[in-house]
Amino acid sequence: NGGARKGDLLVLTKRIGIGVLASALKKGLLGEEEMLPAMREAARLNDAAARAMLAVGVHACTDVSGFGLLGHVAEMLDASSRDDGVGARLHLAAVPLHEGVTDFIERGVYAGGLRANREYLETRVVGPSGDDPVVLALYDPQTSGGLLFAVAPDRHESLIERLRQEGTQGWTVGEVVAGVGGIELAEGSG
């Protein structure tokens, strides 16, 4: 079907930052009890989100894992139709982060995979400083991350509602725009 299309909305089904929290846990800066909400979310399978996706119909889908949110957005763009060329705009305030993630990033607590992802992708990303903790969180490698959907605007509300019906959630984090694989990071929530 050509993948993500200009005008599609990008919907994410799990929070970002579990890699940062795991690093904090390993360093003894976060207790297991404090980590529990993120672990529960990570342990939740993506089957409910996949059922919602199939029921509503989306143009593209990827799981968010070791390449971080930005890496998987880039993958989705690369796999999409090259005829028109597509890029993405992510709204920083709309991306759901686990509690405490930006505080740990500000303290330099994150896995080496975050740095590797940033080095690999930073030429494709434009927007606020790459040292901003929210921006850095978008490079965080995820373990058992959520799904990222590119959905037509006329199916967006149906997708969000179907995710709720399936007992899960979705955050609209951006949109597909004209471009050739670039990712714009925008302040605010869109």
Side-chain angles (χ1 to χ4, degrees):
N1 64 13
R5 300 174 187 172
K6 184 178 163 195
D8 280 354
L9 298 174
L10 297 171
V11 175
L12 180 66
T13 65
K14 290 184 185 177
R15 289 174 185 83
I16 299 297
I18 192 145
V20 169
L21 297 181
S23 292
L25 182 68
K26 287 178 192 170
K27 292 182 180 196
L29 301 172
L30 181 71
E32 286 185 30
E33 195 64 34
E34 297 165 295
M35 181 78 174
L36 215 48
M39 289 177 10
R40 283 191 188 110
E41 187 170 305
R44 188 180 74 228
L45 298 177
N46 286 321
D47 59 340
R51 284 192 301 273
M53 169 191 73
L54 292 172
V56 172
V58 301
H59 291 145
C61 172
T62 187
D63 66 323
V64 179
S65 58
F67 298 128
L69 178 60
L70 289 176
H72 289 284
V73 168
E75 249 184 0
M76 180 183 281
L77 297 174
D78 291 347
S80 297
S81 173
R82 301 219 188 258
D83 295 340
D84 299 336
V86 291
R89 179 180 302 118
L90 295 181
H91 302 280
L92 294 175
V95 177
L97 300 176
H98 287 292
E99 189 175 331
V101 167
T102 56
D103 295 334
F104 286 120
I105 289 174
E106 285 176 347
R107 293 166 57 188
V109 178
Y110 47 82
L114 183 150
R115 282 189 302 277
N117 288 342
R118 178 183 176 192
E119 287 170 14
Y120 180 73
L121 291 163
E122 66 187 342
T123 59
R124 292 181 70 168
V125 178
V126 297
S129 165
D131 293 328
D132 180 305
V134 174
V135 172
L136 287 174
L138 305 184
Y139 293 104
D140 183 45
Q142 302 301 286
T143 300
S144 190
L147 298 179
L148 177 68
F149 302 125
V151 62
D154 63 346
R155 294 181 183 210
H156 174 257
E157 280 187 44
S158 297
L159 176 62
I160 298 296
E161 180 55 32
R162 188 59 184 249
L163 287 166
R164 281 190 202 110
Q165 290 171 4
E166 291 287 348
T168 191
Q169 54 201 352
W171 291 269
T172 306
V173 297
E175 58 270 345
V176 179
V177 297
V180 186
I183 304 168
E184 174 192 348
L185 302 179
E187 301 284 355
S189 60

